[in-house]
Amino acid sequence: MTALAGCGREQSTLNPAGYDASSISLLFWTMLSGAVVLWLLVNGAFYYMSNVRPGAVAKRYARHILIGGGIILPVVVLTALLAWGLSVLPDPRRPGDGLVVRVTGEQWWWRVEYWPEGADTPVVSANEIRLPVGQRTEIHLTSDKVIHSFWIPALGGKMDMFPGRDTMISLLPERAGTYRGQCAEFCGASHAWMAFAAVAMEPADFDAWLEAEAADAVAPLDEAAQRGQEVFLSKGCGACHAVRGTQAVGLVGPDLSHVGSRKTLGAGRTGMTLENLEAWIAHTEDLKPEVKMPSYDLSGTDLADLAHYLNGLK
Ligand code: CUA
């Protein structure tokens, strides 16, 4: 569960794992240092005048303090910080190196498409963003109905997602690892539960992963999974969800072709385990208030088989 802890190092601007996040972190620490220096100077002067040398100050001396400490010093320090800050500020729209990822904000999950350079059709996925380390990837953003905001604090700044409009943020991960992304704009009842795992991978690992992600879902591996697939198809799950290579071609909800390989379930709601899959299917509305997917009242065996089937879709 540590992967999901709100304040863990995997979702921290101060634990940068990408070029843009490093700039933001440097900016933060430098601005903080500047603020601390100014705070110490102002309060030091106050302490000096009230405790070390109390009493009236010569008029000329007082004027020097006012003009020097009240105008010149802040103007010089703040101008220097502003000029330097603007020069360091990352440009979120810097062009990428080829790969484009399209993300659509839904209530409350992420529709994800990978468009490798020159591809005619995308690799469709959901609720997880994987990026190659050392390459700048353009992430094109839009939304279904309401405004969301795309944010992977460990990799860069945030960018709003608007219905009917495209925005873009490009990210350059520098350190492989799993980080946490979070919707950063209030978008309804389950806004806080709209998260995802962001996985930065070495380029060769990423290419292998993308090839696997592009493939159809694996056939059920054993009898229980076979029964689980029958439950999936007979209960109408395929009206909303796609499992490529089966009759399930729904587009309303997340593509589940490789759902078992994801780090999280329910868009960052819980970790991907058999128990959590069962809990999710049976209590969706409790785990994610106002979610479109209803809770399913299945028999114990049906629920276990269905969870087993989905968990096997690696
Ligand atoms: Cu989507 Cu908040």
Side-chain angles (χ1 to χ4, degrees), residues 184-239:
E185 180 79 41
F186 181 74
C187 53
S190 283
H191 153 70
W193 296 126
M194 186 171 173
F196 60 93
V199 186
M201 309 172 85
E202 294 303 335
D205 296 343
F206 175 81
D207 291 344
W209 171 81
L210 191 62
E211 206 182 314
E213 190 74 5
D216 281 355
V218 291
L221 299 172
D222 54 28
E223 263 178 50
Q226 183 66 49
R227 284 196 301 273
Q229 188 185 48
E230 281 155 22
V231 174
F232 185 88
L233 295 172
S234 66
K235 294 290 175 187
C237 306

Side-chain angles (χ1 to χ4, degrees), residues 4 108-110 127-128 180-182 192-197 254 264-270 280 288:
L4 295 166
W108 291 270
W109 59 281
W110 313 84
N127 294 336
E128 192 164 283
R180 189 175 189 272
Q182 166 68 43
W193 296 126
M194 186 171 173
F196 60 93
T264 71
L265 172 64
R269 182 63 183 83
T270 60
W280 174 256
K288 193 167 271 202

Side-chain angles (χ1 to χ4, degrees), residues 1 71 86 88 115 119 170 172 195 209 217 234 242 267 287:
M1 281 312 271
I71 300 173
L86 288 175
V88 172
W115 292 81
S170 72
L172 171 53
W209 171 81
S234 66
L287 288 167

Side-chain angles (χ1 to χ4, degrees), residues 9-10 15 17 152 154-155 175-181 196-200:
R9 290 173 62 76
E10 50 287 296
N15 179 34
I152 309 171
L155 296 184
R175 187 153 51 83
T178 301
Y179 311 103
R180 189 175 189 272
F196 60 93
V199 186

